[in-house]
Amino acid sequence: MKILGINGSHRKGKNTAALLKLVLEETERLGCSTELLELADLDIKLCIACNVCLKQSRCSVAGDDMAMVEHKLLEADGILLGSPVYWSNVTALMKNFMDRSRYLHITRNLLAGKAGAAVTNAGLLHGGQEATLKIMEGFLQAHGLHIVDARNPNTGIFTIGVVGAMMSGFKEDKAVWRRSGADDELVQATSRQLGRNMVALIQQLSGASKMT
Ligand SMILES: Cc1cc2nc3c(=O)[nH]c(=O)nc-3n(C[C@H](O)[C@H](O)[C@H](O)COP(=O)(O)O)c2cc1C
């Protein structure tokens, strides 16, 4: 089982990467191989809206890293997206990746049937995490992936998902900050749960495909 993580942060290896790594580590513990792509490292040109992809599963923009990303997306059993909240939305890097992936979706959903999940980190508490998470999950769903949430199937405990924040609270008229978005018990628990749920769904899907 392969899980591909994609980080849309403009700062590689920071808070969003830390959250992605928590989830990926849990899937590794359960036997998966993982890879984390940092979009900040890659050259992915802007979509030019030529609409070639309306007729064929192909993109007219060439000579950048999208072909390599496509290969890794197609190979993966699970795709885990991470983006920090920028203006209650995903980052420009993540949005650009989404736009460029249109050719994998529009004539035929080439990523359909995989497991998909998302994590996000913001500066503030209630800083737009929920909207950002839903944008990534909606994108994965449009691509035909099965969305995994962080619900614990035994206890039923459920949060909206893996949502980190740099702000941990408020004291004496001042915001209190944490050093890392991953330095939070709830984030750690939900990340591990998300990893477990991803692996369980992939196992379930591969069992189902063997039967058909
Ligand atoms: C352009 C920009 C827009 C941002 N917008 C928001 C926002 O709407 N809400 C929020 O809580 N934090 C916002 N932030 C803060 C980031 O979400 C926060 O610093 C996050 O932890 C960065 O993740 P990283 O460490 O992976 O880069 C913004 C930061 C930048 C640079």
Side-chain angles (χ1 to χ4, degrees), residues 8-194:
S9 176
H10 292 205
R11 302 189 307 165
K12 62 179 190 172
K14 295 288 189 179
N15 298 283
T16 311
L19 266 51
L20 286 162
K21 283 178 190 164
L22 284 175
V23 182
L24 293 177
E25 277 163 19
E26 185 66 11
T27 67
E28 281 169 19
R29 202 182 61 75
L30 296 167
C32 294
S33 64
T34 70
E35 183 171 3
L36 178 58
L37 286 182
E38 294 273 5
L39 293 180
D41 276 342
L42 305 182
D43 171 29
I44 299 182
K45 297 189 169 76
L46 287 175
C47 166
I48 56 169
C50 63
N51 283 331
V52 161
C53 61
L54 290 182
K55 295 207 177 91
Q56 307 162 39
S57 297
R58 136 182 131 72
C59 180
S60 71
V61 181
D64 66 5
D65 289 321
M66 196 59 202
M68 175 273 285
V69 177
E70 174 200 315
H71 177 71
K72 291 181 188 293
L73 286 167
L74 291 171
E75 261 199 334
D77 301 294
I79 298 169
L80 174 68
L81 300 182
S83 175
V85 176
Y86 281 11
W87 297 104
S88 299
N89 211 314
V90 295
T91 63
L93 281 177
M94 178 56 73
K95 180 59 168 55
N96 184 42
F97 158 72
M98 290 174 167
D99 291 346
R100 283 292 308 284
S101 76
R102 190 182 186 218
Y103 72 101
L104 299 172
H105 152 74
I106 203 96
T107 55
R108 204 154 59 92
N109 251 343
L110 296 173
L111 304 177
K114 298 177 189 288
V119 305
T120 186
N121 195 76
L124 304 175
L125 286 167
H126 315 294
Q129 289 94 330
E130 194 164 350
T132 305
L133 202 66
K134 293 296 164 210
I135 287 164
M136 287 186 279
E137 288 177 351
F139 162 80
L140 292 168
Q141 212 162 18
H143 270 285
L145 279 79
H146 301 280
I147 305 305
V148 184
D149 65 27
R151 184 189 298 264
N152 180 320
N154 302 316
T155 62
I157 291 173
F158 181 66
T159 70
I160 63 158
V162 178
V163 291
M166 303 314 295
M167 184 178 167
S168 67
F170 191 72
K171 203 171 176 192
E172 290 163 7
D173 256 3
K174 286 198 178 101
V176 182
W177 303 99
R178 47 172 70 88
R179 289 165 65 89
S180 164
D183 187 14
D184 173 338
E185 249 179 68
L186 183 60
V187 163
Q188 288 171 19
T190 49
S191 299
R192 283 194 296 271
Q193 191 63 55
L194 188 65

